[in-house]
Structures are given as structure tokens and as C-alpha cells.
Amino acid sequence: MHSPDTKKIKSLSVDFPESELIINNDGSVYHLNLKPSDIAENIIVVGDPGRVHQVSRYFDTVDFEMNKREFITHTGTLNGKKITVISSGIGTDNVEILMTELDALASINFKNRKRKARRKKLKIVRIGTSGTMRSDVKLDSHLISVNAIGIDNLMGFYKLYQKKEHKDLCRNLKQLVNLPSIPYLVSCSEVLLNQIGFDMVQGNTVTSPGFYAPQGRVLRAPVKTPDFLDKLTAFNENGFYLSNFEMETAGYYAFGQMLKHDMLSVNAIIANRAIQKFSKKPADAIDSLIQKVLERFTS
């Protein structure tokens, strides 16, 4: 076997070669099937593809639609502003594709494959559902993720800047909870926090790589840490405690930080793990959150 000729590979590199930034024959980006003109600077992201219509039905107009895999996109107008809603599917692996390709649409000239002289700074709000581990967080309430801790491994492949105090907190959490790797901690956009989440419950969200054992649920499959939920609930580092679980927010915040886009995650709390209760009207909780975010995002 011959070792790869790294010098040759580097010499062939252009700004964004066709093997790295894949552009479809119609000029759209590979997975999302979107062109730069298809997205707004104000973007709502949802996990469930079926939730895209739940958002866009409140638009004044829907001028563009695209369906590709789990990535469903509607772009239109609301209160005189162009706005996009797009679904990611579940998990930070999908978030990586979505955020990378949205950034490419905003930052790269697809005709010459070079960086744009003036890139667009996107404002992205995730609207999702979540379960809380705190008994004092009410079902059907709306919680904003001020910080997110990712216990997935995606950021092990990226150079994400971490403050020393964040690194220390994450190491302590790994040791206490017996995590397989050191988590990462990232924060939301202050701009969007003040614009949209100013009166919501504020929390520190755990982004998990799964729905069952990685969120402390035990059904039939054997789990490594049976008291995982109890340990996470007990974690408190100088007043920093954990509030809720979901599966995307830390990935969004990490890419928002690395790519310099404003990112915010808001959650309809439909499960309370501490009291083992589930919302009686989860659809109403998410719908009221959608309307609240849209009003504030386009005002």
C-alpha cells in the first residue's frame, strides 16, 4: 500500500473544491438543495419535518418550498420581513450538515467557489420540545437555553474555543456523571436572548446523543449508568445547574460561535422527568411557542 501524497493533495486545493463543497447541477447546495437566494437572514429551525408547516402557516406569504430528505424548507414573508423555516431532523449530526450548508449559502460565492467579500450574518432560532429534570419547571412552559452542554462527540472533530471555566466545569461533569468523553459548553446569542427570550424560563440545557439511555431513560436494554438522571440533576457548580434535555442545541450553539451567526434555542417543556409527568396538550405548548417567537422575531 502507498501512503497518500499529502503534498499533492494540498497543492490541488482551491478555496472550496468540488469534492468538499458539493454543488448540485442546478446550483444548489448538496443536502439542503437550496440556492443562496432561497433563504432569508432570519431562520427558524425545527427538528420535525412535519413542524415546518406548523410554522409557515403563520407567514403572510410562502414564496418558496423545497423537500429534500429530512430537510424541508419554506421561505416567505411575515410582517414585511423575509423569513425561512427549515427542519433538521434529530441529532447534532444533522445539525452539522444544516449549519455548515446554511453558512455556505451565506458566506461562499457558488459561481467561483470563493469567500464572499460581504458574508451574511444569519439569525437562527431553534424551536423544539424538551423534557426538564427540575421539579420546579412547569409542564407546557417555555424555556430558553442560555447555555448548552453537549455530551455528544461532534465537537471532538472541530476546534471549538472554550473558556477555562467552561472546560473545568465540563471536566467535573464528566467525572461526576461518568460520561464517555468530556462535554463542551456553549452559550446563546445575547442579541436573540434579549429580543426573544427575555421573559422565558432560563436554563442550562443538556444536548444528548440519544433519547433513552443518554437522557437517563431505562427500558429493556441494559444501561451503563442506571442513576444517570439523578447524577445530572444533582450537578451544581457554583450555582450552575442543569435544567433540561434535548438533542440539538449544543450543536447549534457551537456552530453559531465558530461560524459567527446568532443562534438561540427555545423549548416547549412537554415532559417533567422529576415528577414523571408528560404534557396533556403538547401540541398547544409548541404552537403557542411558535407564535410567540414569530411575533418577536419579525417585530
Side-chain angles (χ1 to χ4, degrees):
M1 294 182 65
H2 298 285
S3 61
D5 188 343
T6 56
K7 290 184 179 180
K8 183 178 180 181
I9 292 172
K10 289 180 180 178
S11 69
L12 292 174
S13 295
V14 295
D15 278 9
F16 302 102
E18 62 182 26
S19 62
E20 311 309 294
L21 172 61
I22 302 171
I23 299 175
N24 299 318
N25 290 335
D26 64 354
S28 64
V29 72
Y30 186 56
H31 294 93
L32 304 185
N33 218 47
L34 299 175
K35 301 174 185 177
S37 60
D38 295 334
I39 64 166
E41 293 184 30
N42 292 335
I43 300 174
I44 301 288
V45 292
V46 294
D48 182 358
R51 195 169 290 147
V52 171
H53 178 261
Q54 291 180 270
V55 175
S56 68
R57 66 179 174 173
Y58 291 113
F59 290 3
D60 295 328
T61 65
V62 176
D63 307 311
F64 171 83
E65 296 184 27
M66 176 54 65
N67 296 351
K68 185 71 178 291
R69 299 182 175 90
E70 59 267 67
F71 304 110
I72 310 300
T73 305
H74 290 180
T75 295
T77 60
L78 180 60
N79 298 328
K81 292 186 177 181
K82 186 176 180 180
I83 187 169
T84 293
V85 56
I86 184 168
S87 58
S88 67
I90 298 175
T92 57
D93 52 342
N94 281 6
V95 169
E96 184 213 29
I97 293 172
L98 177 63
M99 288 294 289
T100 300
E101 294 192 3
L102 285 177
D103 177 74
L105 293 168
S107 306
I108 298 172
N109 185 321
F110 277 27
K111 293 181 179 180
N112 61 18
R113 295 180 172 275
K114 294 184 180 295
R115 300 175 190 273
K116 291 180 179 178
R118 297 185 64 180
R119 59 180 288 274
K120 292 181 180 179
K121 184 172 185 177
L122 304 175
K123 290 185 176 181
I124 304 172
V125 179
R126 170 195 172 271
I127 299 177
T129 57
S130 182
T132 181
M133 60 191 77
R134 318 303 308 189
S135 59
D136 58 342
V137 177
K138 296 180 180 179
L139 284 174
D140 303 323
S141 62
H142 297 156
L143 182 146
I144 186 166
S145 302
V146 177
N147 301 289
I149 292 185
I151 61 173
D152 61 303
N153 68 351
L154 180 60
M155 284 304 115
F157 296 90
Y158 286 92
K159 191 174 181 180
L160 176 70
Y161 170 75
Q162 295 272 271
K163 297 178 181 177
K164 182 182 182 301
E165 56 267 31
H166 289 179
K167 289 182 179 179
D168 292 343
L169 185 148
C170 287
R171 288 193 186 96
N172 292 340
L173 179 63
K174 177 188 183 300
Q175 183 175 2
L176 174 69
V177 185
N178 191 29
L179 294 170
S181 61
I182 299 175
Y184 58 98
L185 192 159
V186 272
S187 302
C188 71
S189 160
E190 290 286 341
V191 171
L192 292 178
L193 172 62
N194 294 329
Q195 180 182 355
I196 294 172
F198 53 86
D199 61 350
M200 298 183 190
V201 178
Q202 296 192 359
N204 300 311
T205 297
V206 177
T207 294
S208 302
F211 185 77
Y212 290 97
Q215 295 187 29
R217 290 183 172 91
V218 181
L219 297 185
R220 286 192 7 90
V223 300
K224 184 177 180 180
T225 310
D227 58 348
F228 185 66
L229 178 60
D230 293 337
K231 288 183 175 180
L232 283 179
T233 304
F235 182 77
N236 188 329
E237 178 123 337
N238 299 319
F240 185 104
Y241 60 87
L242 307 173
S243 58
N244 63 304
F245 290 105
E246 49 73 80
M247 295 178 64
E248 290 91 33
T249 296
Y252 277 122
Y253 284 8
F255 279 99
Q257 177 180 306
M258 290 187 295
L259 301 174
K260 297 181 170 54
H261 298 296
D262 285 323
M263 186 70 227
L264 185 73
S265 177
V266 293
N267 309 269
I269 299 298
I270 61 171
N272 189 304
R273 306 290 300 287
I275 60 175
Q276 298 186 326
K277 297 292 184 181
F278 192 82
S279 171
K280 301 298 183 185
K281 297 181 177 180
D284 290 349
I286 189 67
D287 188 63
S288 63
L289 180 58
I290 289 169
Q291 293 186 63
K292 183 186 294 184
V293 169
L294 287 174
E295 178 184 355
R296 297 175 182 182
F297 204 20
T298 61
S299 60

